[in-house]
Amino acid sequence: MIRMMRHALHAGRGALCLRSFSETRGEVIEDVLQRTDSARLTNEASLYVHWPYCLRRCSYCNFNKYIPRENNDHMMTECLQRETETLLQLSQVSCITSVFFGGGTPSLAHPSTIAAVLETVSRQANLSDTAEVTLEVNPTPVGRSKLEDFFHAGVNRFSIGVQSLQDEDLKVLGRDHSPQQALLTVAEARRLCPGRVSVDVMFGRPKQSVESWENELSELLRVCDDHVSLYQLTLERGTQLFKQVLEGEVTLPTEEETAEMYLCARKTLHQHGLLQYEVSNFARQNAVSHHNRSYWKGTQYIGVGPGAHGRFVPVGEGGVLREARTQTLEPDIWMREVQQKGHATRRRIQLSHLELLEEVLVMGMRMTEGIDHKHWELFSPQLGLHEVFGTSSDVQELLQRGQLILDERGLRCSWEGLALLDSLLPALLVELERRVSLRLQEDEHAKGQTNRTSNTR
């Protein structure tokens, strides 16, 4: 189960580097997800923009990122604009609810690139002045020096990759900033966007102990803003860290120790007023990540840039089925394809109704609030949560253990269950597949009965 907890902690990052917030220049953004209805499932979407370049590769990272061989920022900007325009036109989207610039290291981009993409979005769809626009920032002196320009370009929330406040750990991780530089970057970001700065911090690092982690969190909480994202370090094949651990050069904490670190962090953050609202995310002052919530709520999102992922219903193909789309990975090939045809979608897969429900279930259960009945009904009007999960013996066992809750509000994990999310999901997914398959069989049988009745008349 501890292994399952580790996987749950990382599921939220995926290929998109997910994160976001709730206030914009002093104005509280209305949570669009609370007013979602069937029409908005196709009319609205969030936008993820992937900047693929980094100056160096961190020892633990296997994300889609590249060390640039030459300065092609101008061409990258033009292609990001063109693909944004094309994919917005291909979708049925009339409103973009949030924008997230991830990477890679998007703080390496020129602020004019950010402004140009946002201008393109505004020409193609409604982008409110108060819509959340997040930029991931590497907390180096160069990154810090550009924050004000990014702010004037349209960014109203910063996500700072602090990762650690220990010099030695940052070196092992291959990071190119110091703890002091990270703290200065957080301070400058808070000056520009008070209440709208997220701090990423990583645990389960080499030689890290529960006690040192607790002390580090206390230090971080003295300077951080109203949002913290926790990520557990995991070994990814092909990375430098994976090789170092394999060869015995580096030792990571045990699963028991990392599980205790996670539980310690939940308790410490809660004591400081940062309430957990998702497996890896904590906020106070209602400073939740609206962009990330759009993923967890199963709403549409459009992915722009090398290797970006998207989920939306394309227009003009007679379709009502959502597609999973993946853009070409390698930046040079991606740019060439965008120049040739306006976008570089490498793969398109129509999602079946079951596949869509599986995504809504898996992502929705990451949130402490879980999935309410009304929201589930938008995706599954014929099979409610009680019908799908209420009679399952396996689910009943999880309910009796106090790990799951199914009531008039909906389906969600308990405080204890959320830490073991991945150990709970298999039973839910099996029951979902069984109930959907059974419903299809019943519908086919009813359709056959109707046809036979019609033929005898």
Side-chain angles (χ1 to χ4, degrees), residues 89-303:
Q89 290 174 350
L90 282 174
S91 74
Q92 301 182 51
V93 169
S94 59
C95 177
I96 292 296
T97 57
S98 64
V99 182
F100 191 98
F101 291 91
T105 308
S107 55
L108 290 176
H110 195 278
S112 62
T113 296
I114 306 303
V117 172
L118 293 175
E119 288 169 8
T120 300
V121 175
S122 295
R123 286 197 301 268
Q124 296 296 319
N126 177 37
L127 179 66
S128 167
D129 290 339
T130 58
E132 179 184 277
V133 179
T134 304
L135 180 83
E136 287 185 333
V137 177
N138 193 28
T140 61
V142 172
R144 183 173 76 252
S145 69
K146 296 162 72 175
L147 290 180
E148 187 159 4
D149 289 336
F150 284 128
F151 176 74
H152 291 303
V155 173
N156 54 39
R157 179 179 181 265
F158 293 109
S159 178
I160 314 294
V162 173
Q163 310 309 354
S164 172
L165 292 178
Q166 305 299 318
D167 274 307
E168 188 59 35
D169 287 4
L170 290 172
K171 291 175 184 175
V172 172
L173 296 174
R175 303 293 292 179
D176 55 356
H177 69 270
S178 69
Q180 184 61 27
Q181 289 167 349
L183 295 176
L184 289 172
T185 303
V186 171
E188 174 65 1
R190 292 183 67 185
R191 182 184 72 81
L192 294 166
C193 300
R196 289 169 283 123
V197 178
S198 181
V199 171
D200 285 3
V201 62
M202 187 179 291
F203 68 98
R205 307 189 304 262
K207 299 181 180 179
Q208 189 180 30
S209 67
V210 176
E211 183 181 3
S212 67
W213 168 236
E214 191 169 10
N215 292 335
E216 186 175 8
L217 268 181
S218 297
E219 182 181 354
L220 182 70
L221 288 168
R222 285 197 291 269
V223 297
C224 81
D225 206 41
D226 290 339
H227 194 278
V228 172
S229 293
L230 288 181
Y231 295 106
Q232 183 181 335
L233 176 63
T234 54
L235 288 179
E236 303 289 354
R237 288 187 177 276
T239 63
Q240 180 185 348
L241 184 63
F242 183 87
K243 181 181 178 182
Q244 290 173 325
V245 172
L246 200 64
E247 295 177 352
E249 297 176 20
V250 173
T251 303
L252 296 181
T254 65
E255 290 185 347
E256 289 73 17
E257 288 172 324
T258 53
E260 190 175 348
M261 287 178 195
Y262 178 61
L263 297 176
C264 168
R266 296 176 87 194
K267 179 181 178 181
T268 301
L269 290 168
H270 191 272
Q271 288 172 342
H272 285 78
L274 285 137
L275 304 183
Q276 184 173 24
Y277 69 98
E278 190 268 345
V279 170
S280 299
N281 288 276
F282 301 75
R284 59 183 163 222
Q285 309 293 337
N286 195 34
V288 298
S289 164
H290 288 297
H291 183 87
N292 285 1
R293 277 175 60 94
S294 68
Y295 298 121
W296 302 323
K297 284 283 192 176
T299 57
Q300 293 190 123
Y301 56 94
I302 297 171

